[in-house]
Amino acid sequence: MANLCVNIDHIATLRQARGEFEPNPIDAAKIVEKAGAIGITVHLREDRRHINDNDVYLLRKTVKTKLNLEMSINKDIVDIALDVVPDEATIVPEKRKELTTEGGLDVINNFNKIKEIVTKLRLKKVIVSLFVNPDIRQIKYAKETGTDYIEIHTGKYANAKTSKDIRKEFFKIKKAAYFAHSIGLKINAGHGLNYKNVVPVAKIPIIDDLNIGHSIISRAVMVGLDKAVKDMIKLIKK
């Protein structure tokens, strides 16, 4: 049965809109944990558009469940990760002008660099995940890097409009998950999951964690962060 990790990037997005101090991601993480999430996820982007270095160091000191750091393969970000030593690190692709992560890692064409970073993180006892599309070839190469997990990019499923396309994209996720499981990888999933589409993915029994952020923070504006997290957990545990 899947567990919920909450991405709190957009708490920091609200803070950065005014360039001041509120809302504080550290306070948000405490509420999320108290509401029952099993982890906190943050993406330290190269442009620091939301989460910044200080947030990551403070979260490392205060998070009581587990801290999952999403990170690119940029050297400066890797150096911070090796210094912070999060509980988990999820290596993701990153483009400066994208609104959000647009797809999975190209593990095949960046294999040596990704393998090097995976090795360095695992030597620090960090659990490593690679954020990949539900693509069998990419997953095969992910396995060869020595990663512990893959996180399956669920964006196409989340953005599909017709019932036919939703079923097609869901089948890709399920097939990829079971293939990864068959070769000894653990599986997380995330991107674009919300209160309307999360249940089928959560029902895939071999998925450990769902990383969900934007939909929870959006709902929190209306009902409060505690309730938004608890509502998502209820759906996942159905």
Side-chain angles (χ1 to χ4, degrees):
M1 183 179 292
N3 295 301
L4 175 64
C5 289
V6 177
N7 185 312
I8 60 170
D9 288 351
H10 294 303
I11 298 292
T13 299
L14 288 173
R15 177 191 63 190
Q16 298 307 98
R18 291 288 294 268
E20 296 181 358
F21 304 102
E22 295 180 329
N24 187 339
I26 313 306
D27 294 336
K30 292 176 181 177
I31 294 170
V32 166
E33 289 185 309
K34 189 175 180 180
I38 60 93
I40 303 296
T41 297
V42 290
H43 184 175
L44 184 65
R45 295 185 66 99
E46 294 171 31
D47 60 11
R48 309 304 200 272
R49 68 174 66 166
H50 36 59
I51 293 295
N52 60 39
D53 301 37
N54 189 53
D55 294 328
V56 175
Y57 281 95
L58 287 174
L59 287 165
R60 173 67 288 182
K61 293 177 180 178
T62 56
V63 166
K64 298 185 184 304
T65 51
K66 65 179 177 181
L67 178 63
N68 173 31
L69 179 63
E70 294 183 344
M71 53 180 284
S72 70
I73 58 175
N74 175 276
K75 183 182 183 303
D76 291 341
I77 301 295
V78 173
D79 288 345
I80 290 170
L82 293 171
D83 188 44
V84 171
V85 191
D87 299 292
E88 298 183 9
T90 302
I91 302 175
V92 301
E94 187 173 313
K95 299 176 184 176
R96 281 296 178 95
K97 293 184 179 181
E98 66 187 0
L99 290 175
T100 184
T101 307
E102 294 175 349
L105 280 169
D106 186 349
V107 184
I108 296 170
N109 288 316
N110 296 280
F111 179 81
N112 290 334
K113 182 65 174 176
I114 292 171
K115 184 176 182 179
E116 176 188 347
I117 295 168
V118 169
T119 301
K120 288 179 178 179
L121 288 166
R122 295 192 79 225
L123 285 172
K124 289 274 191 173
K125 308 300 183 185
V126 177
I127 295 169
V128 184
S129 178
L130 301 185
F131 187 68
V132 295
N133 290 327
D135 180 304
I136 300 303
R137 287 189 69 232
Q138 294 289 348
I139 294 170
K140 286 180 180 177
Y141 275 81
K143 171 67 175 176
E144 295 304 312
T145 67
T147 191
D148 303 282
Y149 275 85
I150 59 163
E151 179 174 343
I152 298 175
H153 183 283
T154 54
K156 285 190 175 182
Y157 162 76
N159 293 327
K161 303 300 182 185
T162 67
S163 297
K164 180 180 178 181
D165 286 343
I166 291 169
R167 286 194 300 271
K168 181 177 76 172
E169 295 302 330
F170 174 74
F171 177 75
K172 289 180 184 177
I173 293 167
K174 191 172 182 179
K175 180 180 178 183
Y178 276 98
F179 174 76
H181 181 72
S182 75
I183 60 173
L185 288 167
K186 298 179 180 179
I187 303 101
N188 297 327
H191 198 83
L193 296 176
N194 58 42
Y195 296 86
K196 294 181 179 179
N197 63 25
V198 72
V199 171
V201 178
K203 284 184 176 179
I204 299 173
I206 54 174
I207 290 179
D208 287 348
D209 295 345
L210 298 177
N211 286 296
I212 305 175
H214 186 266
S215 63
I216 291 175
I217 304 308
S218 298
R219 182 167 175 78
V221 173
M222 304 300 178
V223 304
L225 185 54
D226 178 80
K227 179 170 171 51
V229 173
K230 288 178 177 176
D231 287 348
M232 184 61 79
I233 291 173
K234 285 180 183 177
L235 286 172
I236 289 172
K237 300 300 183 184
K238 263 190 174 181

